[in-house]
Amino acid sequence: MLKERLRCEKLKKKLTTAKEASMYIKDGMLVGTSGFTAAGYPKAVPLALAERSKNGEDLEISIITGASVGDELDGALSRAKIIKKRYPYQTNKDSRDCINDGTMEYCDMHLSHTSQWIKYNFFGDIDIALVEAVAITEEGGIIPSTSVGNTNVLIEKAKKVIVEINTSQPLELEGIHDIYTTENPPNRKPIPIVKANDIIGTNFIPCDIEKIVAIVETDISDKTREVSEIDGVSKKISNNLISFLENEVKGLNKRLLPLQSGVGSVANAVLGGLVKSNFENITLYSEVLQDSVLDLIDSGKVDFASATAITISPKRLKDFYENIEKYKEKIILRPQEISNNPEVIRRLGVISLNTAMEVDIYGNVNSTNVLGSGMINGIGGSGDYTRNAYLSIFTTVSIAKNGDISSIVPMVSHHDHTEHDVNVIVTEQGVADLRGLCPRDRAKVIIENCAHPDYKEKLLDYYTKALKGGKYKHTPHNLSKALSWHERYIKTGSMK
Amino acid sequence: MLKERLRCEKLKKKLTTAKEASMYIKDGMLVGTSGFTAAGYPKAVPLALAERSKNGEDLEISIITGASVGDELDGALSRAKIIKKRYPYQTNKDSRDCINDGTMEYCDMHLSHTSQWIKYNFFGDIDIALVEAVAITEEGGIIPSTSVGNTNVLIEKAKKVIVEINTSQPLELEGIHDIYTTENPPNRKPIPIVKANDIIGTNFIPCDIEKIVAIVETDISDKTREVSEIDGVSKKISNNLISFLENEVKGLNKRLLPLQSGVGSVANAVLGGLVKSNFENITLYSEVLQDSVLDLIDSGKVDFASATAITISPKRLKDFYENIEKYKEKIILRPQEISNNPEVIRRLGVISLNTAMEVDIYGNVNSTNVLGSGMINGIGGSGDYTRNAYLSIFTTVSIAKNGDISSIVPMVSHHDHTEHDVNVIVTEQGVADLRGLCPRDRAKVIIENCAHPDYKEKLLDYYTKALKGGKYKHTPHNLSKALSWHERYIKTGSMK
C-alpha cells in the first residue's frame, strides 16, 4: 500500500513511528499544521504529543492551522494543556473551554490573512510543518488530502516538515488539488483566476526534501461531523433566501454568480434547498464543501465547485469515496490564500451566504463572541467573502434558546461584520434588503421583516425612544440601554 | 480660452448657462457627481440648483459622489434642503447637521463599493451625471480635473451627462489621469497594476457624446481647506510612527512598501514627518494626496504617488500650479474603483495609515459615529485599505476636549474596523503592535503603550474587573459598564 503512496526513494528512510516523529516537536515551538474543518489535518503525531504530556513531559506549543481541525489535534492537545496559543480558527469544545477560561491564547483571524502573515514572518519562524498527505511524489511533492488550507505556505516557510501519509484517504484525491502560491510584495502578481474552475497551478505542493525529517503512516480517518436533518426553521430560511435570489436574478437566465456558503448544519440546509430551486448551472467559489454540494452535483444543478476543503458527513463519506472520480471532475481544492482571496472573490462577484449569531437593528453582525466575551468558533472566512461579495447575505434564526434569546438586538455585543458590509439579512420570518438604506431605514426593515413577533414591539420601542431621546439621529442609540438585553439575559436567563 | 478646452465641434451647441443646465435636474432624481475631497467637484450647476430652491421650487434629489465635496455642492444643497439622500461620504458641516437631525438620509459606504454598486444598478438608474472637467477632447472624451472618483462609472451609467468645464483648473492636468474601468462579473478581468506607477488606461474618460445634454463654463476654484500647522502632539505621533516603521523595515534597505495616508491635518502632519526620516524611494498608493506629498516630492523622498484626488491647501495651490509639470511626472490620478480596490491594495502590500476617532482596549476602531450615534464624516476608504494592507496602522491622540475624552475606551461606541483588521495603534504616548495577540494581551499593550496617563488606571481597572468577574475570559467585558464612559460624558461632559 505505502509503495504507491511514498514514491520518493530518498525519503523512505524517513519513515518512522508517530512517537518518534513527535520528538521533533519541542517545548516552546511554533507548529503549523494542515487541516481546514475536520478534513486533512494530522492525527497520529498530535495523539503521540498528547501521550508525551500525559507521561509527565512539560510541553507547550503554539499552533497555526488552516482553520478548525478534528479532535485528535485540537481536542487531544487542549485536554493535555499543550496549546499555549492558537491561530487562526477553531471549533473544538475543549479548545473553546480553554480559550474562555483564559488558559489558551486565541487569535481570531480572517482566514485569508493567515497565509500572508506566515509569509511576512509576522508570527515568527515556523519550527515545524506537520501535514497530512495522501502521497509523496517521486520528487518529494506533497499530495494533500481532503483540504489544502495553509499547507503549501507552511511547507514553504517551516524549518522542518513532518508528513503523515494517511491511507484512509483515497489515493484518488490526487489531481483534485490546484496549488498556487503568491509571492510577497513588491513582487506579487495578479492571481490568474477568472472563472471558478480555472486551474492555475500544480496538483502537488513542492517541498524541499531535505526539510522532511519524518514520515508517518497512519489510517485514522477524518472525524467529520454528522449534519443535522433539515428542520422546519432551516427550511423556511432556505425558502426565504431562494425567493430573494430568484427575484434578484430575474431576467438573468436563472444564472447565479458563484456562491460561497458558510459551514454548519444550517448552512448545509440552506444550500441544499437549491436542489429544488429553478437555478441551473450553479458554481461555487467557497472555502468548504459539505454534503449538500454532493446533492447539488448529483441533481445536475452544480456545474463546478471550488474550495479549500471538503468535509463530508460520516453517513455520506462512503458514497463520496465510491464515486470520487465523478465528483473529482467537478471539484477543485485550492490553498486558502486563493479560495479566500479578496482579489478573486471580488473579481468573480461571489454571492456570500454566512450565518450570523446575532444581528442588530442597524445591520451589524456578531459571528463570534457570545454576550460580548465568550468565543464560540471564530470569524473564519466570513469576512473575506462578505466584504468582497457581489452580494453579502447573512442568515440566522430569529430566536434561540426557546425564545429566551432574540437574534435581533438593539446593539450586537461584539462586532465582526459592520453595517458597511452586510447587504441582506434572512431569518425564518423574512428578508431585509439593506442595500443603500440609511441606519434609520435599516432598523425599520430589519425589525419589520426579520425579528420574531415576540420581540418586534420591544425592538421598535428601543428604536423609537432612542430616536426621540437622543441628540444625534443618524444611528439612534441609548447607550445606557443598548446592551441591556444581554445584561438581562445574564441576570435572568432571558432577554424578555 | 474655451477653444482649447472644448475641442469637440459637435458639442459646442451644448454650451449653456448653469441655470439652464440645472433645469435637466428634476425633483426626485438620482444625480451622480464628480468630486473626491474638495477637489474636482461641480460647482456652478449645484449653486444654480440651490438658487431654484430659494426661489420656491420644490426640489429634492439624491446624490452619489466620489467622496466628500466642497461647499458649493454639499453645503449649498444642504442649506437649501435639497438633498434627500446622500451616498457614500461627506465632510460638510451643514450636511452633517442634516444627517444628525434626521432630515437627510445618509448611507455611509466603503468607497470601493460605490463604483461597483453603480454598475450593478444597486442604487437604481442614475438620471444625471454632473461632472467637472478641464477639457473635452475632439471625440467627446472628458478630461477630469483634480479628482477622478466615480466620474468614469457615473458617465458610463447615467442617462444624461452635464459637464462643467472649469477654467480655474489648469489645462496642464491633462495627462495626469489614468482611466481604467472593470467589467461586471462574470466578465471581470485582473486589474493589471503591479507597481504604484503602472499606467493601464487612457488619459480621458470615454463618453457617448449623445448623452451630453449641457456644457457649462465656470471658473469657481476648488474650495480646499487650509491644513493646520503641525503641533507638538501630531509631531509626537509622527515620531512614534516613524520609529516603529524604521524598526519594521530594518534590513530592507530603507525601502517601504507603498503608503496610504488618510485625509486631514493630523494625517498630513504624520506623513509630512517622513521628510526628516531615513526612508528613501517612498511610493504612495493612496486615495488623496495632500500638501505633505508635495513636500516629500520636493525633498526627493517620494518616487511616485498614485491616488484618485489631489487636494492642495489654498496656501500651497499657486506653487502646485506653477510647478505642475514637475509634479505631474510623479503623480497619477485613478478612478476610485482602482485606487481603493482590494485586489490592488493587497497585491502591492500597502502600508495603511488612518486616523481613529476612538479605539477600544481590544483594538476595535470607531472612525465615524460620535457617542455611537452622531455621524462625523464617514468610513471613506479607510476600510478598503485597512483590511487589505500589508500592515494596517491607526493613529489618534490619546485624549481630546482638554482631557475630558479618552480616545482609548473600554468598548468603542460604534465599530468601523474590528479587532481582526487593526494591526498597530499609535498615539503620542506610544505604539501598540497588536499582531498575533489574543484580546487579553491586546488590552495590556494598548493600555500600557497608548492610553493617556490620566486614564491608564481607570482602563486597567475596567479590564481587571471584567476579567475577574466575567464568565468568559476571551474578550473580558462587563456589559453594564462597557459603554459607561460614554454615558458619563453625555451626563457630565467628561469621561473622568
Side-chain angles (χ1 to χ4, degrees):
Chain A
M1 182 70 162
L2 206 60
K3 197 181 149 195
E4 55 183 340
R5 290 182 180 254
L6 179 50
R7 301 171 202 151
C8 176
E9 282 303 320
K10 275 191 191 165
L11 285 174
K12 286 188 173 161
K13 62 184 181 204
K14 299 292 181 185
L15 262 173
T16 183
T17 63
K19 189 178 171 185
E20 284 302 317
S22 87
M23 298 310 290
Y24 286 99
I25 299 174
K26 297 184 197 327
D27 189 49
M29 278 190 168
L30 175 59
V31 177
T33 82
S34 62
F36 196 109
T37 65
Y41 58 98
K43 294 138 184 130
V45 175
L47 289 174
L49 267 181
E51 205 56 38
R52 279 167 55 192
S53 171
K54 270 186 215 157
N55 294 337
E57 187 179 338
D58 256 348
L59 192 59
E60 213 178 39
I61 60 172
S62 295
I63 296 178
I64 303 173
T65 57
S68 58
V69 288
D71 192 71
E72 297 88 344
L73 176 48
D74 264 345
L77 299 192
S78 293
R79 291 187 292 274
K81 306 290 177 199
I82 289 176
I83 310 178
K84 176 178 162 50
K85 199 162 189 172
R86 183 74 174 81
Y87 320 83
Y89 184 77
Q90 61 73 39
T91 59
N92 184 275
K93 190 203 163 297
D94 294 304
S95 299
R96 192 181 296 135
D97 287 348
C98 293
I99 290 164
N100 287 325
D101 71 15
T103 57
M104 190 192 294
E105 299 167 25
Y106 178 53
C107 183
D108 181 33
M109 296 181 71
H110 296 298
L111 295 184
S112 77
H113 280 174
T114 321
S115 46
Q116 297 198 120
W117 281 32
I118 295 167
K119 293 200 280 190
Y120 297 163
N121 222 34
F122 283 179
F123 296 110
D125 291 341
I126 314 284
D127 295 297
I128 305 269
L130 171 60
V131 305
E132 177 173 284
V134 294
I136 300 179
T137 67
E138 287 77 356
E139 289 77 29
I142 311 287
I143 311 285
S145 60
T146 37
S147 69
V148 182
N150 287 316
T151 310
N152 58 320
V153 182
L154 290 166
I155 286 176
E156 182 190 329
K157 293 292 290 180
K159 294 183 208 160
K160 292 173 181 164
V161 175
I162 300 173
V163 183
E164 290 192 9
I165 296 185
N166 194 318
T167 55
S168 81
Q169 299 277 23
L171 197 48
E172 287 80 5
L173 285 168
E174 189 170 355
I176 206 169
H177 312 97
D178 183 39
I179 309 299
Y180 178 94
T181 306
T182 70
E183 285 188 78
N184 275 351
N187 301 315
R188 199 175 276 167
K189 301 284 181 301
I191 300 167
I193 294 178
V194 296
K195 297 190 306 291
N197 59 341
D198 280 340
I199 290 175
I200 61 171
T202 58
N203 67 1
F204 61 89
I205 298 170
C207 180
D208 172 3
I209 63 172
E210 301 301 322
K211 289 211 294 195
I212 300 179
V213 292
I215 298 170
V216 176
E217 184 187 350
T218 179
D219 64 354
I220 311 170
S221 61
D222 280 346
K223 290 299 173 299
T224 60
R225 299 176 185 193
E226 287 300 347
V227 293
S228 322
E229 287 298 313
I230 300 180
D231 63 11
V233 173
S234 299
K235 208 167 195 168
K236 277 188 192 164
I237 295 176
S238 181
N239 289 344
N240 286 342
L241 172 72
I242 290 166
S243 301
F244 171 79
L245 287 176
E246 284 178 340
N247 195 50
E248 191 68 17
V249 300
K250 224 182 266 175
L252 283 178
N253 293 327
K254 297 176 192 164
R255 287 292 284 269
L256 283 170
L257 286 163
L259 294 174
Q260 172 259 339
S261 168
V263 188
S265 282
V266 174
N268 186 60
V270 166
L271 200 65
L274 288 170
V275 168
K276 289 183 184 160
S277 72
N278 293 319
F279 295 112
E280 304 286 347
N281 304 105
I282 295 169
T283 58
L284 282 102
Y285 194 82
S286 196
E287 48 184 14
V288 178
L289 307 179
Q290 292 181 273
D291 290 20
S292 54
V293 172
L294 301 189
D295 296 337
L296 286 164
I297 291 176
D298 289 347
S299 71
K301 288 283 187 190
V302 158
D303 277 1
F304 204 82
S306 166
T308 192
I310 181 152
T311 184
I312 304 298
S313 73
K315 209 160 55 182
R316 191 70 192 271
L317 201 60
K318 192 164 162 274
D319 163 62
F320 172 64
Y321 284 162
E322 279 171 6
N323 294 287
I324 194 162
E325 291 296 345
K326 175 183 87 178
Y327 291 121
K328 217 165 89 173
E329 279 175 30
K330 306 212 166 187
I331 291 174
I332 287 181
L333 300 184
R334 310 179 184 279
Q336 74 193 66
E337 184 181 7
I338 307 301
S339 64
N340 288 40
N341 200 294
E343 169 177 342
V344 183
I345 295 165
R346 191 167 290 212
R347 183 182 303 143
L348 299 183
V350 170
I351 296 173
S352 70
L353 309 172
N354 289 288
T355 311
M357 198 163 77
E358 61 178 4
V359 176
D360 70 27
I361 55 173
Y362 299 116
N364 300 286
V365 167
N366 177 5
S367 306
T368 60
N369 277 258
V370 65
L371 297 168
S373 292
M375 175 54 66
I376 302 296
N377 298 324
I379 194 166
S382 59
D384 296 322
Y385 290 95
T386 295
R387 169 73 62 87
N388 295 293
Y390 167 83
L391 192 59
S392 76
I393 301 171
F394 280 89
T395 59
T396 180
V397 293
S398 71
I399 49 170
K401 302 247 178 199
N402 294 316
D404 283 329
I405 289 177
S406 171
S407 306
I408 320 281
V409 291
M411 178 187 272
V412 288
S413 58
H414 184 89
H415 290 67
D416 294 294
H417 308 284
T418 71
E419 50 172 338
H420 316 90
D421 294 322
V422 180
N423 298 155
V424 180
I425 295 166
V426 182
T427 69
E428 80 287 359
Q429 302 293 325
V431 177
D433 184 349
L434 309 178
R435 284 173 291 177
L437 300 186
C438 71
R440 294 185 300 275
D441 288 340
R442 274 183 242 144
K444 287 172 212 155
V445 71
I446 291 172
I447 297 171
E448 180 60 29
N449 295 2
C450 291
H452 190 276
D454 289 357
Y455 286 98
K456 260 189 194 180
E457 213 170 299
K458 290 182 186 72
L459 287 165
L460 208 55
D461 182 61
Y462 174 84
Y463 169 73
T464 314
K465 284 182 179 157
L467 180 66
K468 278 191 188 153
K471 181 178 173 192
Y472 303 111
K473 300 180 195 307
H474 175 62
T475 314
H477 265 307
N478 173 350
L479 293 184
S480 66
K481 300 280 183 197
L483 299 170
S484 63
W485 291 35
H486 302 86
E487 292 174 57
R488 189 155 54 243
Y489 181 81
I490 292 171
K491 278 182 200 146
T492 70
S494 174
M495 284 185 175
K496 276 178 184 161
Chain B
M1 183 68 161
L2 207 57
K3 196 180 150 198
E4 53 182 343
R5 291 183 179 251
L6 179 49
R7 300 171 203 153
C8 176
E9 280 304 320
K10 275 191 189 165
L11 284 173
K12 287 190 172 158
K13 62 184 178 204
K14 300 291 180 184
L15 262 173
T16 183
T17 62
K19 189 178 171 186
E20 284 302 317
S22 87
M23 297 310 291
Y24 286 99
I25 299 173
K26 298 185 196 327
D27 189 48
M29 277 190 169
L30 175 59
V31 177
T33 81
S34 63
F36 196 110
T37 65
Y41 58 97
K43 295 143 183 124
V45 174
L47 289 174
L49 267 181
E51 204 57 37
R52 279 168 55 191
S53 172
K54 269 186 216 156
N55 293 338
E57 188 179 338
D58 256 346
L59 192 58
E60 213 177 41
I61 60 173
S62 295
I63 296 178
I64 303 173
T65 58
S68 58
V69 289
D71 192 71
E72 296 88 344
L73 177 46
D74 263 344
L77 299 193
S78 293
R79 290 187 293 273
K81 306 289 177 199
I82 289 176
I83 310 178
K84 174 178 165 48
K85 199 163 189 172
R86 181 75 174 82
Y87 322 83
Y89 183 80
Q90 61 74 40
T91 59
N92 183 276
K93 192 202 163 296
D94 294 305
S95 299
R96 191 181 295 135
D97 287 347
C98 293
I99 290 165
N100 288 325
D101 71 14
T103 55
M104 189 192 294
E105 298 167 27
Y106 178 52
C107 183
D108 182 31
M109 297 183 71
H110 295 300
L111 296 184
S112 77
H113 280 174
T114 321
S115 46
Q116 298 198 118
W117 282 31
I118 295 167
K119 291 199 282 190
Y120 297 162
N121 222 34
F122 284 180
F123 297 110
D125 290 341
I126 314 283
D127 295 297
I128 304 271
L130 171 60
V131 305
E132 178 174 283
V134 294
I136 299 178
T137 67
E138 287 76 357
E139 288 75 28
I142 310 287
I143 311 285
S145 60
T146 36
S147 69
V148 181
N150 287 317
T151 310
N152 57 322
V153 182
L154 290 165
I155 285 176
E156 182 190 329
K157 293 292 290 181
K159 295 182 210 163
K160 291 174 181 165
V161 176
I162 300 173
V163 184
E164 290 191 7
I165 295 185
N166 193 319
T167 56
S168 81
Q169 300 278 23
L171 198 48
E172 287 79 6
L173 286 169
E174 188 170 357
I176 207 170
H177 313 96
D178 183 39
I179 309 299
Y180 178 94
T181 307
T182 71
E183 284 188 78
N184 276 353
N187 301 316
R188 200 176 276 168
K189 300 285 182 301
I191 299 166
I193 294 179
V194 296
K195 298 190 307 294
N197 59 342
D198 280 340
I199 291 174
I200 61 172
T202 58
N203 67 2
F204 61 89
I205 299 171
C207 180
D208 171 3
I209 62 172
E210 300 302 321
K211 290 213 291 195
I212 299 178
V213 293
I215 298 169
V216 177
E217 183 186 353
T218 179
D219 63 355
I220 310 172
S221 60
D222 280 345
K223 290 298 173 300
T224 60
R225 297 177 189 193
E226 286 301 345
V227 292
S228 323
E229 286 299 311
I230 301 181
D231 63 11
V233 173
S234 299
K235 207 167 197 167
K236 277 187 192 163
I237 295 176
S238 181
N239 289 344
N240 286 342
L241 171 74
I242 289 166
S243 300
F244 171 80
L245 287 176
E246 285 179 338
N247 196 50
E248 192 67 18
V249 299
K250 223 182 263 175
L252 282 178
N253 295 326
K254 297 175 190 166
R255 289 290 285 266
L256 283 170
L257 287 164
L259 295 174
Q260 172 259 339
S261 169
V263 188
S265 282
V266 175
N268 185 60
V270 166
L271 199 66
L274 288 170
V275 168
K276 289 184 184 162
S277 73
N278 292 319
F279 295 112
E280 305 285 346
N281 304 104
I282 296 168
T283 58
L284 283 103
Y285 194 82
S286 197
E287 49 185 14
V288 179
L289 308 179
Q290 292 182 272
D291 289 19
S292 53
V293 173
L294 301 190
D295 296 337
L296 285 164
I297 290 176
D298 289 346
S299 71
K301 289 283 186 190
V302 158
D303 277 2
F304 204 82
S306 165
T308 192
I310 183 154
T311 183
I312 304 299
S313 72
K315 209 160 54 182
R316 191 71 193 268
L317 201 60
K318 191 163 163 272
D319 163 62
F320 173 65
Y321 285 162
E322 279 171 6
N323 293 286
I324 194 160
E325 291 296 345
K326 174 181 86 176
Y327 291 121
K328 215 166 92 173
E329 280 174 31
K330 306 213 165 189
I331 292 173
I332 288 180
L333 300 184
R334 308 179 186 278
Q336 74 193 67
E337 185 182 7
I338 307 301
S339 65
N340 287 41
N341 200 295
E343 168 177 341
V344 183
I345 294 165
R346 193 168 287 213
R347 182 182 303 144
L348 300 182
V350 169
I351 296 173
S352 70
L353 309 172
N354 290 286
T355 310
M357 199 162 76
E358 62 178 3
V359 176
D360 70 27
I361 56 173
Y362 300 115
N364 299 286
V365 167
N366 177 5
S367 306
T368 59
N369 276 257
V370 66
L371 298 167
S373 293
M375 175 53 66
I376 302 296
N377 298 323
I379 194 166
S382 59
D384 296 322
Y385 290 94
T386 294
R387 170 72 63 86
N388 295 293
Y390 166 84
L391 192 59
S392 75
I393 302 171
F394 280 90
T395 58
T396 179
V397 292
S398 70
I399 48 170
K401 301 248 178 197
N402 295 318
D404 283 329
I405 290 177
S406 172
S407 306
I408 321 281
V409 291
M411 179 187 270
V412 288
S413 58
H414 184 90
H415 290 66
D416 293 295
H417 309 284
T418 72
E419 49 171 340
H420 316 90
D421 293 323
V422 180
N423 298 154
V424 180
I425 295 165
V426 181
T427 70
E428 81 287 359
Q429 302 292 325
V431 177
D433 184 351
L434 309 178
R435 284 173 290 178
L437 300 185
C438 72
R440 294 184 300 275
D441 288 340
R442 273 182 242 145
K444 288 172 212 155
V445 71
I446 291 172
I447 296 170
E448 180 58 31
N449 295 2
C450 291
H452 190 276
D454 289 356
Y455 286 98
K456 260 189 194 178
E457 212 171 301
K458 290 182 186 72
L459 287 165
L460 209 54
D461 182 63
Y462 174 84
Y463 169 73
T464 314
K465 285 182 179 156
L467 180 67
K468 280 191 187 153
K471 181 178 173 192
Y472 304 109
K473 300 181 195 306
H474 175 63
T475 314
H477 265 307
N478 174 350
L479 293 184
S480 66
K481 300 280 182 199
L483 298 171
S484 64
W485 292 33
H486 302 87
E487 292 174 55
R488 189 155 53 245
Y489 181 81
I490 292 171
K491 277 180 201 148
T492 70
S494 173
M495 285 187 174
K496 277 181 184 159

